[in-house]
Amino acid sequence: MTLSNRQLAGTALVIDDQETLLTVALDMLTAKGMNVLTAQSGQEGIRLYQEHAEKIDVVLLDMKMPDLNGDVVFARLKALDPAVRVIITTGFEEEEVLAHFNGQSPVAFMQKPYRFQNLVEIIARVLAREP
């Protein structure tokens, strides 16, 4: 069975300022069996993580948002939980984005727009890793 044909388990926090992308991620991940929390800003994402950290298994984090960019949110999530599993999502090239993380890399990178199979495969790989 390929990763894209399997069900996923756990809870994802999706942080993105674009409502359409939040809806797409929510629909895709719930169709695969995940619980999903969504935040439309970096501040809201940090607050939701603080409130629900014990049940959040993976964070999908947009790199460019009006209030806080992904690298700032990532640093704050890491300060709250050094084992947090973060997938950076962006329309920019991976090398360009990862240069902003000062050597502390997220666990994965995913190019936007979301493609269902790619999203499922990346999350399945991240969830399979030990936190």
Side-chain angles (χ1 to χ4, degrees):
M1 178 184 331
T2 66
L3 292 174
S4 60
N5 290 333
R6 68 188 261 199
Q7 287 295 103
L8 298 171
T11 299
L13 170 58
V14 183
I15 306 171
D16 199 304
D17 62 309
Q18 296 179 28
E19 189 174 345
T20 304
L21 288 175
L22 288 176
T23 302
V24 167
L26 175 70
D27 291 348
M28 288 178 174
L29 295 176
T30 55
K32 284 298 186 177
M34 291 196 82
N35 297 311
V36 180
L37 300 170
T38 60
Q40 215 169 343
S41 71
Q43 291 285 3
E44 184 183 7
I46 292 165
R47 181 186 57 75
L48 282 172
Y49 193 85
Q50 288 172 317
E51 292 173 7
H52 304 282
E54 73 286 343
K55 67 180 179 183
I56 294 173
D57 300 295
V58 64
V59 177
L60 274 76
L61 175 59
D62 184 22
M63 184 61 191
K64 297 288 183 192
M65 293 181 285
D67 68 333
L68 297 173
N69 278 334
D71 53 341
V72 174
V73 176
F74 175 78
R76 291 188 185 171
L77 292 175
K78 280 292 203 184
L80 292 169
D81 178 5
V84 64
R85 293 182 278 196
V86 177
I87 300 169
I88 293 296
T89 64
T90 185
F92 296 96
E93 292 299 318
E94 183 173 4
E95 297 77 27
E96 177 185 346
V97 170
L98 294 181
H100 293 273
F101 288 90
N102 300 322
Q104 192 173 30
S105 296
V107 295
F109 174 88
M110 186 171 56
Q111 192 78 35
K112 287 182 182 179
Y114 298 144
R115 290 178 183 81
F116 189 66
Q117 181 174 345
N118 190 36
L119 178 66
V120 172
E121 288 176 358
I122 289 172
I123 289 179
R125 282 196 310 264
V126 168
L127 291 175
R129 295 182 193 168
E130 288 297 315

